[in-house]
Amino acid sequence: MGGKIDHSINQGKGPYTFRMGDQNCHRIGTLVPTGDVRPKFCQLYIYDMEEEVQNRKNAISPGDPSRFNDELIRLLENMIDSHNTIAKTFRKVRDRLAVNTDSEVSIKLISRRSSNGRTYNLPTVSEVAALIEGDIGPHMEKRDIIVRRSCVVYTIEFKKRGLPHAHIVLFLHREDKFPTAADVDKIISAEIPNPTTDPVLHSVVCEYMLHGPCGKAKPSCPCMVGDNYSKYYQKPCTERTTVDGDGYPIYKRSKKGVTVIKDDVPLGNNFVIPYNSQLLLKYRAHINVEWCNQSRSIKYLFKYINKGSDRVTMQSSYTRCNEENPGRFDKIKRFYGCRYLCACEAAWRIFGFDIHYRTHAVERLQYHLPDEQPIVFHDDDWVDEVVENTSLGVSQFLNWMGCNNSTVEEMQVAEELLYCEFPTKFVWKKKVRQ
């Protein structure tokens, strides 16, 4: 049993209390016993199968193992092996070890500069993940991004860093499109709060919203590309919020602000990531808030929508003994381009949460003039079946109107009005394999 045990609760005169907190776990230990230690727990499913019954008796009662019935133990083993999913998994490990006693298999994740860095980046945390080989198909296509005036667009990114990231764009009302510097300061801050007047916000900003240290103080920081700062920190200090010539905001960062020590390096306001104090206090997490007034800023979100699934290059090495020369080993290496499915993304999809979301949803409805609709069929389809298919005469627009309880006459009039307002050249098409 593993977990954080609270021993301080028993310092009084009350009855003894056992209390555990945080994330509890069950330690299964090694799959094979080490040294002269007898097998126990999950090792009983894998190690020394010929003596499994005796090993189980010794594990339960080392002093008097003969008091157990061997036949009853075998019946229980067969029942568990047949119906228990976890037991079946351990048996597979046993079978694998029994077949490949003279071979070693290892898996390595490869970092390649030629691959897409946002998709093929290596994980920076220790986590459980599934590698799915060959998970690339026609469904992995680019998406059409349509931006409308209205409420929100967001996408969820799984960066192989533990918890997922949400990238959100909120479209403001036209009266709020070009706020003043005072309006921006009410929403976005880029300074370390005073620890005396606002201690709670100060501690949260120092924990979640400080970039670095980087540069000469820490050249190994992930934001460093050689000797260059990829995130453009540290930021210039200024006494008021302004907008530069390219339309980007320059947030207020006072030179006389508070300084904190992080990794033995002093950090000031020029290392603060812009934030909203209300959101930061409510969620206690890294929440970067920016004011975007250019299409280049909005593209920052859309690149994650088009990014596709996380992937990784996996190298599997298989070493086995040469049958002709037992002293010689053959090494085989194979490389796979795999889909990287972390535990957070798996849970996200199991619960059916949205990966990409927008409101209001936009759906393109196709319409056509009578008998001028496109028709798609295969070359081995019967002509009579194609001609008699009643769905060919109904456009997507008519179907949508039908779902909204409109009459046939109303639908036809609406479609004709649409054609008059948006004249388009319609052609009859068919798809035939040559």
Side-chain angles (χ1 to χ4, degrees), residues 45 79-93:
Y45 293 90
M79 180 188 67
I80 295 175
D81 290 348
S82 301
H83 302 285
N84 188 282
T85 304
I86 300 177
K88 292 180 180 179
T89 303
F90 283 115
R91 293 303 191 189
K92 290 181 180 179
V93 178

Side-chain angles (χ1 to χ4, degrees), residues 376-386 431-433:
V376 180
F377 57 90
H378 297 288
D379 55 357
D380 55 351
D381 291 342
W382 290 96
V383 177
D384 294 340
E385 295 179 354
V386 175
K431 180 180 179 182
V432 179
R433 298 177 184 173

Side-chain angles (χ1 to χ4, degrees), residues 259-300:
T259 301
V260 298
I261 304 298
K262 184 178 180 180
D263 295 342
D264 298 329
V265 178
L267 300 179
N269 290 332
N270 46 4
F271 285 94
V272 176
I273 302 171
Y275 63 91
N276 177 272
S277 57
Q278 293 180 344
L279 291 176
L280 197 59
L281 288 174
K282 181 176 181 178
Y283 295 103
R284 305 294 178 96
H286 175 85
I287 304 177
N288 180 205
V289 180
E290 300 276 2
W291 174 53
C292 305
N293 67 334
Q294 287 198 353
S295 59
R296 284 183 295 176
S297 301
I298 299 175
K299 288 180 180 178
Y300 171 80

